Amino acid sequence: MSTKSPTRSTSRTGTSATRSVPASSALSQNGFSQNGLSQNGLRQCLRVAGGGTLGFIISQLMGWNYGVFFTVFPMFLLGLVPVLNGSIIRQFLSNVSLNVLEVSLVVGLLKHMPVVMTLVVLGLFLLRFNLMAKGPLFLFGANGVLTLSILLHFASYPSVDLSDLLASNLMASVLAVFIAMLMYTLFPDREPRQPPPRGSKSTAQIRHETLIGGITATLSFVVFQVFDLRGSLSAQMATILILFTLGYFGAQVSAAKRAVGTLLGCNLALVMQLALYTQSHHFLLVILLYWLGLMLFAREHILEGGGSGIGFGGLTTMGILFGQSLGPQQDLVYSALYRFSSMSVALIGTLSVMICLHYLLNRWEPTRLPEK
C-alpha cells in the first residue's frame, strides 16, 4: 500500500479516512496483535486477496485490455485504506473522472508541444502532492498521482487507443469500488478501527513535501517518455509509490522494502508459472494459486502496518505479472527478470533525485524541514 517518520502527521475529519502520512500506512490501524494477525487483520487479508482475485477473474473472463488496472486497483483500495465509507468512495471516483478529463485535454492539446506538456504535468503533480501533504484528501492525491503517471505515459504513444485506455481505467475504477463494497460485506471488521493520532505540519514542511514529490514524479514521467519504456510498468509504479512517504528518508526505507517485495513477487510468480506451464488453461487452478499468493503477501502487508512495503510490493508485482503475462505462450521468466531489474534501476535513480532535492530545499527557509 511501513515506514514511519517523525515528520508524519495524520488527520481525520467526520467519517472520512484521511491523512497526511508518508508511505500511506497510517490508515492500516489495528491489523495485527502481539501474536500475529488480529481478527480485523485477518479479514483485511481476505478482502485484499479476494478483491484482487475477483478483479483478475472478471478481466480474464471478459477479455478486457489493460488487465493490470483490474488486478491492481482493488488491491490499492482495499490494501492501503482499511476502511470504506462515502468519503473514500467519492475521493476515489472523483479522481478517476478528473483523470479522464485531464489526460484527454493534456494529450489531445499538448502532445505536439513536449515542453509545455511537461510543465502542465508538473502543475498537476504539484497539486496532487499538495493535497497529500495537507492530509484530508490524501487518497484523492495519491490515487491521482499513480493513475496520472500511468495514463499520461501510455496515452502519449501514437499506437495506443486513448479511448480504450481511458475507458479501461474508468471501468476498472468503478469495478474496484463495487468489489471493495462486496469484500466489506463478506468480510466486515469484527471491531471498530481506532482513528490514527492527529498531527500538524508547518507551511514550510508542506511546501517541501509538495515540491520534492511533484518534481520527482515529473522527472520520472520525462525519463520514461524519453527512453520509450512502455514495458516498464512495475518500475514506473515503484517510482511513484515510494513518493507516498512524502520525503527522502521515508522513501529510502520504502524503496528497500519495495525492491524486496518485487523480488519475492517475481520469484513466486515464476514458481507458479512453472507449476502451471502446461496447465494454464485450467482457470480454476490458476485462480487458486493466484489467491494463495495474494493471501501470503496480504498477510505480510498487514503485519508491516500497511503502506508500500514488502507485502504491497509483492501484491502489485503479482497483479501486474498475472494481469499482463499469463499463459505458456508468454515468457513470464523474461517479464519477471526485466521488471525486477528495471525497477531496481528506477528506484536508485529516484532516490538520487530525491536526495538532491532534499538538500536543496532544506537550504531555503520557506521549504526547510523543521528540526527533529
Side-chain angles (χ1 to χ4, degrees):
M1 139 168 125
S2 60
T3 59
K4 296 186 178 180
S5 166
T7 61
R8 173 175 304 175
S9 62
T10 309
S11 63
R12 181 182 295 263
T13 56
T15 59
S16 338
T18 58
R19 63 206 165 155
S20 55
V21 209
S24 60
S25 60
L27 282 180
S28 288
Q29 301 285 327
N30 310 319
F32 56 91
S33 63
Q34 291 182 348
N35 299 321
L37 288 177
S38 65
Q39 285 295 320
N40 279 1
L42 175 59
R43 285 171 175 265
Q44 188 178 355
C45 281
L46 292 171
R47 291 196 295 264
V48 173
T53 302
L54 185 56
F56 169 73
I57 292 172
I58 294 174
S59 66
Q60 291 291 314
L61 292 179
M62 300 299 293
W64 287 332
N65 294 327
Y66 305 101
V68 65
F69 291 156
F70 297 91
T71 57
V72 172
F73 282 4
M75 298 175 189
F76 184 92
L77 189 55
L78 292 164
L80 295 186
V81 187
V83 293
L84 188 70
N85 54 40
S87 175
I88 289 174
I89 293 174
R90 285 192 297 271
Q91 287 188 50
F92 194 78
L93 293 181
S94 61
N95 172 74
V96 175
S97 304
L98 185 58
N99 285 162
V100 171
L101 178 61
E102 289 170 334
V103 173
S104 300
L105 292 176
V106 171
V107 176
L109 299 178
L110 304 176
K111 189 176 181 179
H112 61 291
M113 296 184 289
V115 175
V116 178
M117 180 178 176
T118 301
L119 293 175
V120 172
V121 170
L122 173 62
L124 294 176
F125 282 146
L126 288 174
L127 175 62
R128 293 311 203 286
F129 275 101
N130 185 256
L131 294 176
M132 293 167 66
K134 290 179 177 178
L137 295 177
F138 186 97
L139 178 64
F140 181 89
N143 189 32
V145 169
L146 182 62
T147 307
L148 266 179
S149 63
I150 296 173
L151 292 180
L152 287 170
H153 177 63
F154 284 102
S156 63
Y157 291 103
S159 59
V160 173
D161 186 338
L162 182 59
S163 299
D164 184 35
L165 175 67
L166 297 180
S168 297
N169 175 68
L170 183 60
M171 176 65 73
S173 300
V174 173
L175 182 62
V177 170
F178 281 106
I179 288 176
M181 294 171 66
L182 176 61
M183 291 299 108
Y184 274 95
T185 301
L186 296 176
F187 309 109
D189 283 335
R190 286 291 181 88
E191 300 173 354
R193 292 180 182 262
Q194 298 299 317
R198 291 179 177 271
S200 61
K201 290 183 179 180
S202 66
T203 304
Q205 183 177 349
I206 292 175
R207 292 194 192 106
H208 182 103
E209 294 175 350
T210 299
L211 289 172
I212 198 171
I215 294 173
T216 306
T218 304
L219 290 176
S220 172
F221 167 74
V222 171
V223 169
F224 278 87
Q225 287 285 289
V226 171
F227 291 96
D228 194 16
L229 300 175
R230 75 172 70 190
S232 303
L233 182 58
S234 289
Q236 188 178 16
M237 287 182 62
T239 62
I240 299 301
L241 286 171
I242 67 169
L243 295 179
F244 288 3
T245 59
L246 299 176
Y248 168 68
F249 296 109
Q252 276 186 304
V253 181
S254 179
K257 290 185 176 183
R258 180 79 193 174
V260 173
T262 301
L263 178 61
L264 293 176
C266 288
N267 288 335
L268 183 57
L270 286 174
V271 171
M272 291 180 178
Q273 181 73 352
L274 290 174
L276 289 170
Y277 193 74
T278 58
Q279 303 296 323
S280 60
H281 57 284
H282 292 297
F283 195 50
L284 290 178
L285 183 58
V286 173
I287 293 171
L288 176 61
L289 289 179
Y290 183 64
W291 181 83
L292 289 174
L294 293 188
M295 275 295 293
L296 178 65
F297 285 117
R299 181 180 184 277
E300 177 63 24
H301 173 67
I302 303 305
L303 291 176
E304 288 180 295
S308 181
I310 295 174
F312 196 72
L315 284 169
T316 54
T317 298
M318 287 197 63
I320 292 171
L321 288 172
F322 273 73
Q324 292 185 325
S325 308
L326 181 66
Q329 73 282 1
Q330 294 174 289
D331 190 357
L332 186 61
V333 176
Y334 171 79
S335 296
L337 294 176
Y338 174 74
R339 276 168 172 75
F340 180 72
S341 59
S342 62
M343 182 219 61
S344 300
V345 174
L347 288 178
I348 293 173
T350 302
L351 289 176
S352 299
V353 170
M354 291 186 74
I355 191 171
C356 293
L357 290 173
H358 173 78
Y359 285 110
L360 285 175
L361 292 172
N362 270 346
R363 294 177 67 88
W364 190 33
E365 184 66 30
T367 58
R368 184 174 301 159
L369 289 177
E371 294 293 333
K372 297 182 181 179

